[in-house]
Amino acid sequence: MNFIQKVTAPILPIGNVSSFSLIGDPGCEGLGTTMMRVYVNALELASRDDFILIAGDMVPTGKRRFYETISEITNSVAGKDTYILRGNHDTGVYTEYFGLQNYALIGDSFTVVVLDNAMRTFEAEGLELLGRVLAMEECRNVVIAFHIPLPNHFIRNSVSEAEFERLRAVYAPYREKVKYFACGHVHSRFEDVVDGIPLICSGGGGAMIEDVSEEIRASDVDYHIVRFFMEEGRLCHRIVDLTEMYYKREQQEPVLKEKLEEAVKGELYAHLRYLTFADRAQKRGYEKVANLMRALADSEYRHARSFFAVLEQPVPFMEALSGFRKSENFEFERLYPMVSDYAAGIGGMLAKQAFADAAKMERSHAELIAKAEKLEEFSVDTLYVCPVCGCVMTAVDEIDRCPVCGAPKRQFREFTGKE
């Protein structure tokens, strides 16, 4: 069944609907599994409303194969009628898959007017349509939706003031009908008021969340959808974070889940195997072979990450940090000492040493993560890692060797945080 509605008429009656969900920017950074996991999770949650509107950037570029992929994924998961709004990445054969770029969805309780401003200008036919729809007596509780934001108090990545005035000239005679401006494009979210009308900007449906200003930081924003709904005769909105796994199709199929878990382990093992061999090649002077092995290792890590994305249970940013600390605590307090003692009891001295050394280092991991939980106070910008045992150090001025395994200081790897 095709849930994507290819729009062929500029005015579409949608009847007695009372809600819809807005999903922003699912595909502009690529259609890899890590991005699509967010998108299908958003679709699953959004399907609880009467229909779905995607706020642009379905694909990274306008190639047919990308439109085929995103359409297949959307039609498989959406569950409700899904309308598309053109973004700046949605070039090429967009209209072949999604239809008109300017159209109006007219329901009994509210109206959504979709305008194409992907090239930072509102098309004349879209503005004409907006004026015609606003003049209709039955049209009320209007949401004007487009991709690139209007001028606002948070970011400069918007249409020009002159372009906004073109839009304003059309809606001004009917201003009391317009309840919201809605847009995407910015890989974050913010709410503002433009000309007395709420502006909701949402780009949290797949693309990586970014720092977009001093006021809007990635660490403060989760992936999300925006729900619009009628309540006591008023059109309202609510931002809903994707902090749960709503899409669980693969996780609920035992054989597929098992194969995904095996694939994660296998790819990570390959990642480690290639890195280890890269070190051997480097020591023998085979620089090009070592470089190949490191590239392959990175590729295998990306594969593991894709498989893991299907299984991962998303949690809020700060909750994730806290969870990492608890895991480290469990490892150094209980798990690794217990296994080290068991290994010693059966004569497995190498395993005993590996677990005992790891336990010492997991304590420092937990301590560092605890400090990092105080985001604004965390000031450690340089870290050193022993390439032999993995000991993490924040200062090495007064030592010549790794405090855990004794490896020489000259081998330490330096990690420097960038502001």
Side-chain angles (χ1 to χ4, degrees), residues 147-199:
H147 183 62
I148 297 179
L150 301 177
N152 59 83
H153 296 100
F154 294 101
I155 61 167
R156 295 181 180 179
N157 189 356
S158 65
V159 300
S160 67
E161 290 285 352
E163 200 59 31
F164 170 55
E165 286 303 320
R166 290 182 65 226
L167 175 69
R168 187 175 184 277
V170 176
Y171 75 73
Y174 312 96
R175 186 175 169 281
E176 73 282 355
K177 289 187 173 185
V178 182
K179 306 304 179 185
Y180 285 101
F181 298 122
C183 62
H185 188 56
V186 178
H187 300 169
S188 185
R189 69 167 181 239
F190 66 85
E191 301 180 50
D192 203 354
V193 177
V194 176
D195 194 25
I197 300 168
L199 168 66

Side-chain angles (χ1 to χ4, degrees), residues 35-163:
M35 305 296 181
M36 291 299 96
R37 190 270 296 169
V38 176
Y39 177 51
V40 298
N41 209 31
L43 284 173
E44 192 73 41
L45 176 58
S47 67
R48 301 177 184 183
D49 287 314
D50 292 325
F51 67 91
I52 300 167
L53 177 64
I54 311 298
D57 283 356
M58 289 288 279
V59 294
T61 67
K63 293 183 178 179
R64 186 178 300 276
R65 64 187 178 90
F66 292 136
Y67 283 111
E68 288 286 347
T69 297
I70 199 69
S71 296
E72 182 181 31
I73 291 171
T74 305
N75 286 324
S76 174
V77 178
K80 292 289 176 64
D81 288 350
T82 301
Y83 299 90
I84 313 301
L85 183 161
R86 192 169 86 100
N88 56 295
H89 286 261
D90 300 325
T91 56
V93 292
Y94 173 89
T95 56
E96 183 178 329
Y97 284 84
F98 307 134
L100 298 180
Q101 297 165 196
N102 299 280
Y103 57 92
L105 307 173
I106 301 181
D108 296 342
S109 300
F110 61 82
T111 294
V112 180
V113 182
V114 172
L115 301 179
D116 182 357
N117 75 344
M119 298 296 108
R120 296 186 181 272
T121 60
F122 291 100
E123 297 181 345
E125 66 180 65
L127 295 178
E128 185 276 330
L129 173 66
L130 174 63
R132 183 153 44 103
V133 170
L134 288 172
M136 297 168 62
E137 184 176 348
E138 66 269 30
C139 172
R140 58 188 185 277
N141 291 322
V142 178
V143 178
I144 304 177
F146 37 83
H147 183 62
I148 297 179
L150 301 177
N152 59 83
H153 296 100
F154 294 101
I155 61 167
R156 295 181 180 179
N157 189 356
S158 65
V159 300
S160 67
E161 290 285 352
E163 200 59 31

Side-chain angles (χ1 to χ4, degrees), residues 214-231:
E214 291 184 0
E215 298 172 90
I216 307 172
R217 300 178 58 186
S219 59
D220 299 324
V221 177
D222 288 309
Y223 288 115
H224 61 277
I225 66 171
V226 183
R227 297 190 60 239
F228 292 86
F229 53 93
M230 297 301 298
E231 187 171 84

